[in-house]
């Protein structure tokens, strides 16, 4: 078995950054995607080079969290009046009213400027590119064109979703559907979904059946530590430190060591 372990949203906040650094330094993280449009971005890059340069650094291109790299006046279909991005919820609402509410040219421009900032800060192209949170057909096209322009690994295409040789380790962090068809994704709901507990009680025996086979296992997380900024930016918050704890846990490390599992990142596919 080869095991691929990812944490998204590196640089989203200082807390998220610190949690991901812990996963790379003390845990088994193999790659993470950097946000280049956040106040914590430069802090994240500094910590990356000083503490976790062995982790593959990719990029999460983002049109729904924080503020853009581009002058907001140049991308009016992507931003609120205060210059911040439309949130995922705002995008979904606008799209229900107008499926073409986002301009391809504006999405492409912002994505391009985010990649340019990555290169400026890091000194080379991203190890891979993926998209963050909200997206639609227009933004996906812009994202793919940016990936083609810079000739970087495409996070969406490297690992086929339907391959029989891929085992996805997850299932936690799911909202509860309520009787009225709405969703409960409160802090309490998140705290009830412990990835380490699920791994031990539900996933471990199943995985052991494949440990000696030629398969790829994937653990895809949003690990991180909590801080005030994260609560303001995202409802996906309380589960992050539990995911960080899982990636640093003795149970996961012992499983990897016992079965001689090879830890890999996207560079494996070159």
């Amino acid at each position: 078995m080869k095991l691929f372990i990812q944490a998204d949203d590196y640089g989203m906040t200082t807390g998220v950054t610190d949690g991901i650094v812990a996963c790379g330094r003390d845990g088994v993280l193999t790659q993470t995607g950097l946000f280049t449009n956040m106040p914590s971005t430069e802090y994240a890059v500094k910590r990356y080079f000083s503490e976790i340069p062995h982790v593959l650094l990719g990029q999460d291109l983002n049109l729904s969290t924080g503020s853009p790299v581009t002058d907001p006046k140049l991308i009016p279909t992507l931003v609120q009046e205060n210059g911040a991005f439309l949130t995922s919820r705002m995008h979904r609402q606008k799209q229900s009213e107008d499926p073409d509410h986002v301009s391809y040219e504006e999405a492409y421009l912002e994505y391009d400027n985010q990649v340019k900032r990555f290169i400026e800060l890091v000194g080379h192209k991203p190890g891979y590119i993926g998209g963050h949170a909200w997206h639609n057909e227009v933004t996906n096209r812009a994202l793919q064109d940016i990936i083609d322009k810079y000739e970087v690994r495409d996070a969406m295409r490297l690992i086929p979703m339907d391959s029989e040789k891929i085992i996805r380790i997850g299932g936690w962090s799911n909202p509860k559907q309520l009787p009225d068809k709405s969703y409960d994704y409160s802090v309490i709901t998140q705290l009830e979904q412990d990835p380490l507990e699920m791994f031990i009680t539900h996933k471990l025996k199943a995985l052991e059946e494949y440990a000696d086979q030629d398969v790829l296992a994937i653990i895809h997380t949003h690990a991180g530590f909590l801080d005030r900024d994260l609560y303001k930016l995202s409802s996906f918050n309380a589960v992050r430190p539990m995911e960080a704890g899982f990636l640093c846990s003795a149970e996961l490390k012992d499983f990897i060591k016992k079965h001689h599992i090879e830890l890999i990142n996207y560079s494996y596919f070159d």
Side-chain angles (χ1 to χ4, degrees):
M1 177 185 287
K2 296 176 175 61
L3 181 59
F4 165 95
I5 304 174
Q6 179 168 323
D8 289 348
D9 302 349
Y10 187 59
M12 176 184 274
T13 70
T14 56
V16 171
T17 299
D18 292 346
I20 291 175
V21 168
C23 293
R25 184 191 61 218
D26 307 323
V28 290
L29 184 70
T30 63
Q31 70 178 47
T32 188
L34 177 68
F35 274 27
T36 57
N37 69 305
M38 305 300 291
S40 300
T41 295
E42 292 186 24
Y43 171 77
V45 171
K46 182 178 180 179
R47 292 209 67 185
Y48 172 79
F49 281 117
S50 64
E51 298 180 66
I52 56 169
H54 58 282
V55 174
L56 180 67
L57 186 63
Q59 182 166 14
D60 291 341
L61 292 181
N62 165 38
L63 298 177
S64 59
T65 300
S67 298
V69 174
T70 308
D71 182 343
K73 294 178 182 178
L74 300 178
I75 50 172
T77 67
L78 298 175
V79 297
Q80 305 173 53
E81 290 185 2
N82 63 4
F85 279 131
L86 294 166
T87 65
S88 293
R89 180 178 297 179
M90 291 174 181
H91 274 299
R92 287 191 294 269
Q93 182 177 356
K94 282 182 173 290
Q95 186 163 337
S96 68
E97 300 166 355
D98 177 10
D100 299 319
H101 80 284
V102 167
S103 159
Y104 165 87
E105 290 77 15
E106 293 176 24
Y108 183 95
L109 176 62
E110 174 59 18
Y111 281 157
D112 194 30
N113 285 335
Q114 288 186 21
V115 176
K116 288 176 179 176
R117 185 153 196 252
F118 183 105
I119 295 170
E120 176 187 353
L121 293 172
V122 180
H124 56 74
K125 295 186 295 187
Y128 66 90
I129 285 178
H132 168 72
W134 177 85
H135 57 90
N136 67 7
E137 192 173 312
V138 170
T139 65
N140 286 343
R141 182 158 52 91
L143 179 69
Q144 189 58 56
D145 288 346
I146 287 294
I147 289 170
D148 292 343
K149 173 183 177 178
Y150 287 97
E151 298 182 324
V152 298
R153 302 178 187 98
D154 183 345
M156 294 303 294
R157 294 186 178 182
L158 280 174
I159 304 178
M161 292 293 292
D162 56 353
S163 173
E164 294 180 358
K165 288 194 172 184
I166 294 176
I167 302 169
R168 299 182 185 275
I169 306 170
W172 56 82
S173 310
N174 294 319
K176 292 180 179 178
Q177 188 168 22
L178 302 175
D180 64 358
K181 305 300 182 181
S182 65
Y183 288 94
D184 168 19
Y185 203 55
S186 63
V187 169
I188 296 300
T189 296
Q190 293 179 66
L191 293 176
E192 290 174 348
Q193 302 178 59
D194 184 351
L196 179 56
E197 181 180 350
M198 181 175 290
F199 177 73
I200 294 170
T201 59
H202 300 295
K203 302 288 183 179
L204 192 54
K205 287 185 179 180
L207 280 174
E208 286 177 341
E209 297 179 11
Y210 297 95
D212 297 325
Q213 298 183 28
D214 182 21
V215 296
L216 172 63
I218 300 170
I219 300 177
H220 187 180
T221 76
H222 294 77
F225 295 157
L226 288 176
D227 59 15
R228 180 174 179 269
D229 289 336
L230 181 59
Y231 275 116
K232 293 171 64 178
L233 285 171
S234 175
S235 61
F236 199 85
N237 43 52
V239 74
R240 292 180 190 253
M242 292 196 294
E243 289 187 316
F246 172 46
L247 297 191
C248 294
S249 68
E251 290 85 352
L252 181 56
K253 292 177 184 177
D254 289 346
F255 171 76
I256 292 168
K257 183 177 180 180
K258 176 182 177 181
H259 295 286
H260 308 286
I261 292 169
E262 181 183 356
L263 295 177
I264 65 169
N265 56 45
Y266 278 151
S267 64
Y268 170 79
F269 299 99
D270 291 350

